[in-house]
Amino acid sequence: MPKLHKMIALSILCTVSASIPAAGQNPITANTETHEYSSAMAMPRYGSEEVDGVKIFYREAGDPSKPTIVLLHGFPSSSHQYRNLIRMLGNEYHLVAPDYPGFGSSDFPSPENYTYSFDNIAQTMNAFLEQRGISEYSLFLQDYGAPVGFRIAAQNPDRVQSLIVQNGNTYEEGLNREAWAPIMTLWEQGRGNQELEDAIASNVFSLDGLKWQYTHGVREPAAILPDNWLLDHQSLSRPGQREVQIGLFYDYRNNVAKYPEWQAYLREHQPPVLIVWAKNDAFFPVPGAEGFRRDVQDVDYNILDTGHFALEEDAEMIAGKISEFLSTRGIQ
């Protein structure tokens, strides 16, 4: 383990050890004067919130009186992708990671009962935060988390304390056009080309295709947890998922159309931005990270030698960066 990773791991271990209650103490009682809390509160908790009739599953850790980090997941994953980060930062921050409708353990209503668009998913996630009483937060944006999170941020700029961006794109140069070519063809032709849609589905939704998304570009493929693609494959194999996910691929064109709007949000409101960008991501290359440096004055810029799901290899380093980034900006 590199020296930096050892230091971060030791710090986390010491923090957790110091917060374990003595015999006879209530393990979930917080000290309301000092806001100290036990390791039991830092451990992940699981719940659901009904939003407009849709059950939204979420993972949560930490003391709600501390600064909140909202973790918005990518495709084809769920809040599961944040499982390690939640454990690492639960002693310092309040972390909340919801699953979008149709993803993970949230409800999967039929398209007749729920509109699967990025506009509507963002509206659902914003309502989730409202109902949970989360009114000030940092947003962790990865993959699909970017179009969901930027809609929330642009609508609620005064609530956003910072952005943590891990291959969450908002610049056209951040799209690898070769990797996106089949989906861009879908944008041009519209829905209904069965041969094209079948080709996309067989490539993206297959077990091998899902495994590739997690292992492409990583330093040590054998160290990546197979549960990732097995869980995603199980979720995507449910009846109706193909139509919903192809529909979201088609709707992604509307995200690209909103890039100028989200760039204007960055220039106007200047949220502090932590970039932890995987340089080997086949979908969102490094120029997407560089765009933030044009529009935002306060950028902590880090390029990582890993793949699309950077937390699978570099969670400890990213956790350390988040802690340093937020504390040096008074978010603590």
Side-chain angles (χ1 to χ4, degrees), residues 138-167:
S138 295
L139 293 173
F140 192 119
L141 311 178
Q142 195 269 343
D143 189 75
Y144 275 14
V148 173
F150 272 112
R151 282 173 169 84
I152 294 172
Q155 183 180 342
N156 306 280
D158 295 336
R159 297 186 173 189
V160 177
Q161 294 180 295
S162 73
L163 300 177
I164 303 160
V165 184
Q166 193 261 292
N167 299 79

Side-chain angles (χ1 to χ4, degrees), residues 60-297:
E60 181 177 25
D63 184 346
S65 71
K66 290 182 176 290
T68 296
I69 305 174
V70 177
L71 308 164
L72 297 173
H73 67 81
F75 173 87
S77 191
S78 66
S79 60
H80 180 261
Q81 77 177 69
Y82 293 114
R83 65 198 181 280
N84 295 323
L85 192 66
I86 286 172
R87 290 179 178 273
M88 292 173 181
L89 292 176
N91 273 307
E92 298 179 71
Y93 302 100
H94 175 226
L95 298 107
V96 180
D99 290 348
Y100 311 142
F103 289 78
S105 296
S106 286
D107 277 351
F108 177 30
S110 71
E112 289 74 27
N113 295 321
Y114 185 87
T115 301
Y116 287 94
S117 68
F118 286 94
D119 278 346
N120 201 38
I121 290 173
Q123 182 176 327
T124 298
M125 292 297 100
N126 192 49
F128 167 83
L129 295 176
E130 293 275 358
Q131 290 183 201
R132 296 288 300 162
I134 301 172
S135 59
E136 193 173 42
Y137 40 77
S138 295
L139 293 173
F140 192 119
L141 311 178
Q142 195 269 343
D143 189 75
Y144 275 14
V148 173
F150 272 112
R151 282 173 169 84
I152 294 172
Q155 183 180 342
N156 306 280
D158 295 336
R159 297 186 173 189
V160 177
Q161 294 180 295
S162 73
L163 300 177
I164 303 160
V165 184
Q166 193 261 292
N167 299 79
N169 194 52
T170 189
Y171 296 92
E172 285 206 41
E173 62 267 35
L175 293 173
N176 181 345
R177 292 188 172 272
E178 181 179 355
W180 281 86
I183 294 175
M184 288 180 170
T185 301
L186 180 68
W187 298 348
E188 294 169 0
Q189 295 185 359
R191 296 297 309 275
N193 183 333
Q194 199 65 36
E195 183 177 355
L196 174 62
E197 294 183 10
D198 286 346
I200 293 173
S202 63
N203 180 48
V204 177
F205 302 156
S206 70
L207 193 57
D208 286 343
L210 295 169
K211 178 181 179 180
W212 180 87
Q213 291 193 50
Y214 281 96
T215 57
H216 173 78
V218 303
R219 300 185 298 276
E220 188 57 56
I224 307 303
L225 183 69
D227 294 6
N228 288 303
W229 54 87
L230 292 173
L231 287 170
D232 291 347
H233 186 258
Q234 181 182 40
S235 177
L236 290 169
S237 297
R238 291 177 291 176
Q241 273 284 327
R242 178 189 181 281
E243 178 64 22
V244 164
Q245 299 300 340
I246 293 291
L248 284 172
F249 288 167
Y250 183 59
D251 188 52
Y252 204 96
R253 74 197 192 285
N254 294 316
N255 298 332
V256 179
K258 284 183 175 289
Y259 283 176
E261 177 185 331
W262 298 338
Q263 294 161 19
Y265 154 78
L266 292 171
R267 290 192 296 270
E268 178 181 355
H269 295 283
Q270 291 294 319
V273 176
L274 171 62
I275 298 290
V276 280
W277 200 280
K279 72 176 183 179
N280 305 325
D281 189 324
F283 306 101
F284 302 113
V286 170
E290 295 170 352
F292 287 90
R293 297 204 287 189
R294 293 196 303 269
D295 290 329
V296 180
Q297 297 171 11

Side-chain angles (χ1 to χ4, degrees), residues 9-22 37-40 42 91:
L10 179 60
S11 174
I12 293 170
L13 178 60
C14 291
T15 302
V16 172
S17 298
S19 64
I20 295 176
Y37 54 99
S38 74
S39 60
N91 273 307

